[in-house]
Amino acid sequence: MATAQTLSLSGPGWSVREALGETWAWHVAAPLPEARNNVADAAAREALAPGWLAASVPGSVVDDLHRAGELADPRVARNSRAAEWVAERHWVYRRRVEVPETGAPLVLEFDGIDPGGIVFWDGVQLGAVHGLNHSARFELVDVTAGAHVLAVVVLPVPASEPQVGRTERVTLLAPRMGYGWDFVPRFLHQGIWKDVRLRIGTSAAPPVRVELLGGVGVVFVDGPAELCLDGTVVAAGTGVIEVHDPALWWPAGYGEPVLYELRTGEHTLPIGFREVRMQPNEGAPADALPYTAVVNGVPVPLVGWNWVPADAQYGSITTERVEHLVGLAAASGARILRVWGGGLIESEEFYSACDRAGLFVWQEFSQSSSGMQSAPSTDPAFVEHVRAEAREVVPRLTHHASLLMWGGGNELDEGGVPLDEQRSPALAALSEEVARLDPGRHWVATSPTGPVFHNRLDVIAAAPDDQHDVHGPWEHQGLVAHHTLYNAGTSLAHTEFGVEGMTNRRALEALVPEADRWPTGRQNPVYRHLGDWWNNTSLVQEVFGGRLDSVELVRRASQWLQATGLQYAVEADRRRWPRASMVIPWQLNESFPNAWCTSAVDFLGEPKPAFHAVTRAFVRERVTIRVDRTAWAGEHTARAEAWAWSESGRGAGSVTLRARGMDGAILAEATGETAAVRHPIAVAELVMPAPSGLFLWEAEWMVAGESIDREVVLATGDEHLAALLDLERAKLAVTAAEGTVTVSHISGPVVVGLGLADARPAGEEGFVAVTGDPRPLLPGETRSFTASPGVFSLESFNTDPRTVHTAHTLETS
């Protein structure tokens, strides 16, 4: 099909300067400095003008100022405080644009300016962009070939509410986390955060909707288009394109996420055909909403992660970063990402990555709860504003196969009861616009949907049938209470819950100067700034008998608690499928580097042990161990159950449940037989006198002589886990070849907390990939990890750290 020329105006070549009040008017028409022979780089030439600094687009003002040396690194220690003034100013961005000879129309396009901006061409105002979700197109008239000046005045960030505030005072549908949240200090974003281009003789991409109707794929598109699969045109038309018996898009683990290409002029969009209906959960109360996804006729458990913006400075998010994080989500076995309402309407790069990965997306509008009051404004002007925002963002996303559902916002409630469209004019307006612009797509007013909010023992006991879609808790409950709570769950959907933990070593070294790393508790002002809400040093010390006397030990212990606690929570929910159909822990990633956070992946993109633990919990064929506690002190007997499930269905087999000592010796065992397994069932039970000291529970599921899955978890007969610090050192043999690291247990006791950590210098850019297995390693056992080329540290509670270079062959013992 015919294409037209596009001139990208993104990248370096921009310059920026501060403007207080309306002094920006003095700068939008100022001539650019002449190019100098000894300065080749365009951004450097711009910086020669007094008061102007080199800048990049897309980007953020804060990051441009940091690169220019005007701000200390705001992602180190408490430096973000020194950047808080930036959002109060206007900022003028400008660049030279060389217009080629052409007789075709010229259109200047902006994909996004946050919070908005005024656009000038050669000092003449073209118009404005209102709100970060809005794009804009300006037709240029009577423009001659040659050099011109494009200038943009980025507006100050408007006032809004931090996390503890009042939602009714929020006047804009925009991310609020930058105003100060539990995982982001006050760190407001401002800038030209999406691409800018000059189009020559072309039109904007048309809105597209896709349906699968009776085995026929239907694409609704304004204007002519053609549909391609693997580079071959399979259908074409104007307005409506049909494909009979199309290849289907499937969620991860259920088939290939087949994508077609829809070509409309120069625009190419990914298209996937799939049928999704949400049906009531099995055994659900009659008044419950449907939470079970039936995809192409197959019920699919929606396990996944809560997703937050990949960086609080949205304009600094790279495609590589998005693809890395989405890739981690897919590698974990997730099928859905809930895009949290305190953040963004996510980007085209994010949705395209999810399309390719087979990950569903639950997109919430940018509304969230507040600590004091959590219902949106009822002001008619605000209600009309949310309608306008929906009209802007919904049509841009309707072609994505990954988009499963829309939500009105995060944790919106009144009087502790989650809101719905009947009690909130703003939610009613959003619901109406979504139904009109994206008919057939699932919608929920908020999450949790209620009728009760909390996953909490007293709430469960009072009304177990009211646990429909619930949230919480976000903290480890302790070595006994954690199991008590999650074993008692009755929810149909558990769509936000988590466990806190310290960040990885490499991220901590980049974030906190060495002199500020100890102590690790809230008495340390640096740690208060970097994740105060999630700093559970006191609990970690209690669990380990108060014997953690270094940052390294606190970090390892806290991460072990986060990993085992989150894995148990996820598995407890999964044991209730098909009644419980949505299990979505908080949170995959973090938007700002924290010392303490509920994220499973640190800000540098390295998974924490919790990520690898939940990856095991997401497995489609799984054996898990249900216990009443980790610490059995004061109990005469210890009891465990082995549960198994298979989403694809498995034939008859057996599960053996064992207790082992830390030398690997079997203390007791029991075996249960299974018939065909699909839904979770309790297969074996083991009751024995409670041991003293550390011991293990182990469960293995065998079918036709094949080991389907095996789980091993640590327990103690004491009140705490201090004995883990006294465990004898074990000896390992390690080989590395062609991206595989093989670890063999040679001698000594069970190894606890074994894993590979990124050992590159903290400032080295790029991402590495590594698999993990959080299970204790038994004597005589061998385990393999896969890792991208790099330098890693192999470490555990009771082995000496060892450097492993995965780019070449290594053999040590």
Side-chain angles (χ1 to χ4, degrees):
M1 303 185 71
T3 61
Q5 183 181 354
T6 301
L7 177 64
S8 173
L9 301 180
S10 298
W14 291 79
S15 56
V16 63
R17 71 170 298 147
E18 175 188 356
L20 187 62
E22 294 190 25
T23 58
W24 55 264
W26 301 343
H27 306 300
V28 294
L32 292 173
E34 294 296 325
R36 299 187 183 181
N37 294 333
N38 62 337
V39 183
D41 179 75
R45 289 200 305 270
E46 296 288 2
L48 293 173
W52 292 87
L53 305 169
S56 291
V57 169
S60 80
V61 176
V62 163
D63 283 336
D64 281 333
L65 294 181
H66 166 53
R67 283 189 292 267
E70 294 294 301
L71 291 175
D73 190 341
R75 297 176 182 83
V76 170
R78 294 189 287 172
N79 291 349
S80 67
R81 289 181 168 188
E84 291 185 13
W85 64 273
V86 172
E88 300 172 2
R89 303 286 199 268
H90 292 78
W91 295 91
V92 182
Y93 278 77
R94 66 177 185 173
R95 67 161 293 151
R96 178 181 280 103
V97 181
E98 294 288 343
V99 175
E101 290 280 359
T102 178
L106 299 175
V107 178
L108 189 62
E109 294 186 346
F110 287 83
D111 289 344
I113 304 175
D114 183 24
I118 310 169
V119 179
F120 294 83
W121 181 266
D122 290 336
V124 177
Q125 182 173 331
L126 297 179
V129 181
H130 302 286
L132 87 166
N133 290 320
H134 289 249
S135 58
R137 304 176 77 247
F138 302 103
E139 186 172 349
L140 302 179
V141 180
D142 298 329
V143 173
T144 59
H148 297 266
V149 179
L150 170 62
V152 179
V153 179
V154 177
L155 302 178
V157 178
S160 193
E161 297 291 292
Q163 184 170 12
V164 180
R166 294 182 175 275
T167 302
E168 64 189 354
R169 293 198 292 236
V170 175
T171 60
L172 296 173
L173 213 63
R176 280 178 49 207
M177 68 177 193
Y179 291 89
W181 222 261
D182 58 76
F183 63 98
V184 183
R186 190 171 181 87
F187 196 46
L188 292 166
H189 175 258
Q190 188 182 22
I192 305 173
W193 75 290
K194 289 188 176 182
D195 284 322
V196 184
R197 70 190 67 82
L198 183 65
R199 290 201 183 273
I200 302 172
T202 187
S203 59
V208 174
R209 255 190 334 107
V210 182
E211 293 186 14
L212 184 62
L213 304 172
V216 178
V218 183
V219 181
F220 301 91
V221 56
D222 292 343
E226 57 188 25
L227 195 63
C228 303
L229 181 63
D230 298 328
T232 301
V233 177
V234 296
T238 299
V240 179
I241 301 174
E242 294 186 353
V243 182
H244 290 265
D245 297 320
L248 299 181
W249 185 95
W250 286 94
Y254 282 78
E256 291 298 316
V258 176
L259 292 173
Y260 291 74
E261 286 187 345
L262 183 71
R263 298 174 181 171
T264 62
E266 73 196 73
H267 303 285
T268 300
L269 302 175
I271 296 293
F273 296 105
R274 84 290 188 280
E275 180 185 45
V276 180
R277 57 185 173 86
M278 301 297 288
Q279 70 179 21
N281 290 33
E282 188 172 306
D287 62 342
L289 296 174
Y291 302 104
T292 297
V294 179
V295 185
N296 301 329
V298 179
V300 175
L302 292 177
V303 298
W305 297 95
N306 280 274
W307 171 278
V308 297
D311 194 321
Q313 297 298 311
Y314 318 127
S316 296
I317 298 172
T318 64
T319 299
E320 293 75 20
R321 184 174 180 84
V322 170
E323 290 180 345
H324 172 71
L325 292 171
V326 170
L328 285 176
S332 76
R335 293 109 194 222
I336 188 170
L337 294 175
R338 171 181 173 249
V339 180
W340 171 70
L344 291 167
I345 302 292
E346 267 299 343
S347 65
E348 180 66 25
E349 291 80 8
F350 169 82
Y351 274 94
S352 293
C354 290
D355 287 342
R356 294 190 298 270
L359 285 171
F360 278 125
V361 178
W362 171 357
Q363 176 68 67
E364 292 188 334
F365 285 93
S366 296
Q367 298 195 100
S368 189
S369 60
S370 304
M372 310 306 291
Q373 185 274 346
S374 297
S377 171
T378 59
D379 187 295
F382 178 73
V383 175
E384 182 51 42
H385 164 72
V386 302
R387 284 189 184 277
E389 291 297 301
R391 290 194 292 267
E392 180 70 23
V393 303
V394 172
R396 296 207 302 261
L397 299 179
T398 53
H399 66 279
H400 286 288
S402 56
L403 180 59
L404 173 69
M405 58 191 289
W406 294 94
N410 170 67
E411 297 180 347
L412 303 174
D413 71 60
E414 193 167 47
V417 179
L419 283 170
D420 56 23
E421 301 86 347
Q422 286 68 47
R423 293 185 296 132
S424 170
L427 292 177
L430 287 173
S431 175
E432 291 165 6
E433 292 300 325
V434 167
R436 181 177 66 85
L437 296 166
D438 196 10
R441 196 90 61 178
H442 190 57
W443 156 271
V444 292
T446 188
S447 179
T449 60
V452 298
F453 185 110
H454 287 288
N455 176 57
R456 208 172 59 206
L457 278 177
D458 60 329
V459 179
I460 296 170
D465 286 342
D466 286 347
Q467 292 274 300
H468 297 182
D469 170 22
V470 295
H471 282 191
W474 297 264
E475 307 88 1
H476 198 291
Q477 304 296 294
L479 295 181
V480 177
H482 199 77
H483 299 276
T484 304
L485 171 62
Y486 284 100
N487 289 343
T490 62
S491 63
L492 307 176
H494 199 181
T495 56
E496 193 178 309
F497 61 100
V499 177
E500 69 277 60
M502 205 171 190
T503 194
N504 290 315
R505 181 193 301 110
R506 183 170 177 264
L508 189 69
E509 291 174 353
L511 177 63
V512 181
E514 185 174 2
D516 294 327
R517 292 176 197 157
W518 186 265
T520 61
R522 288 191 172 100
Q523 71 270 43
N524 186 328
V526 176
Y527 285 128
R528 284 203 305 274
H529 185 71
L530 301 171
D532 182 37
W533 285 36
W534 307 118
N535 189 326
N536 67 344
T537 294
S538 58
L539 174 67
V540 177
Q541 287 284 9
E542 177 187 331
V543 166
F544 283 83
R547 291 182 50 196
L548 305 173
D549 58 5
S550 69
V551 175
E552 269 299 289
L553 279 178
V554 173
R555 181 189 62 80
R556 182 171 293 124
S558 78
Q559 290 191 341
W560 186 88
L561 276 179
Q562 183 187 26
T564 56
L566 192 56
Q567 178 178 344
Y568 194 87
V570 170
E571 289 175 349
D573 283 342
R574 295 210 68 196
R575 283 192 284 267
R576 293 184 288 106
W577 165 265
R579 177 183 171 86
S581 60
M582 283 183 159
V583 183
I584 310 178
W586 178 268
Q587 66 212 79
L588 176 69
N589 58 315
E590 59 182 359
S591 307
F592 185 88
N594 288 283
W596 295 84
C597 191
T598 47
S599 69
V601 178
D602 70 27
F603 185 75
L604 299 183
E606 182 183 0
K608 294 158 69 174
F611 173 86
H612 301 300
V614 173
T615 296
R616 285 195 52 74
F618 283 170
V619 169
R620 293 187 64 194
E621 294 186 315
R622 184 82 174 103
V623 63
T624 68
I625 299 172
R626 185 186 189 276
V627 292
D628 293 334
R629 57 187 61 222
T630 296
W632 294 87
E635 300 295 312
H636 295 294
T637 59
R639 175 181 174 276
E641 292 177 349
W643 285 63
W645 67 75
S646 172
E647 293 178 21
S648 56
R650 276 285 180 174
S654 64
V655 173
T656 300
L657 179 59
R658 301 183 182 93
R660 291 184 182 267
M662 296 306 284
D663 59 357
I666 296 174
L667 305 178
E669 69 178 14
T671 299
E673 303 297 323
T674 69
V677 174
R678 182 176 290 274
H679 296 168
I681 57 170
V683 183
E685 179 185 36
L686 179 59
V687 181
M688 66 177 190
S692 61
L694 300 173
F695 68 99
L696 304 174
W697 299 108
E698 177 192 43
E700 186 167 20
W701 182 13
M702 303 289 294
V703 175
E706 176 189 1
S707 179
I708 304 304
D709 190 32
R710 175 174 163 268
E711 186 54 270
V712 184
V713 298
L714 183 71
T716 181
D718 301 328
E719 293 180 349
H720 50 63
L721 292 168
L724 189 52
L725 306 177
D726 300 322
L727 204 57
E728 178 188 344
R729 312 303 277 181
K731 185 177 181 181
L732 304 176
V734 182
T735 61
E738 298 181 350
T740 299
V741 178
T742 303
V743 181
S744 298
H745 192 300
I746 301 301
S747 63
V750 170
V751 174
V752 179
L754 184 67
L756 285 172
D758 188 353
R760 295 176 301 155
E764 191 168 324
E765 295 185 355
F767 305 106
V768 297
V770 62
T771 59
D773 188 337
R775 296 175 295 177
L777 184 71
L778 272 61
E781 189 177 358
T782 295
R783 181 169 299 163
S784 293
F785 304 89
T786 59
S788 57
V791 182
F792 295 88
S793 176
L794 180 70
E795 53 193 51
S796 74
F797 275 101
N798 61 315
T799 57
D800 295 326
R802 187 173 308 182
T803 300
V804 178
H805 295 265
T806 56
H808 54 78
T809 301
L810 166 76
E811 188 167 346
T812 65
S813 62

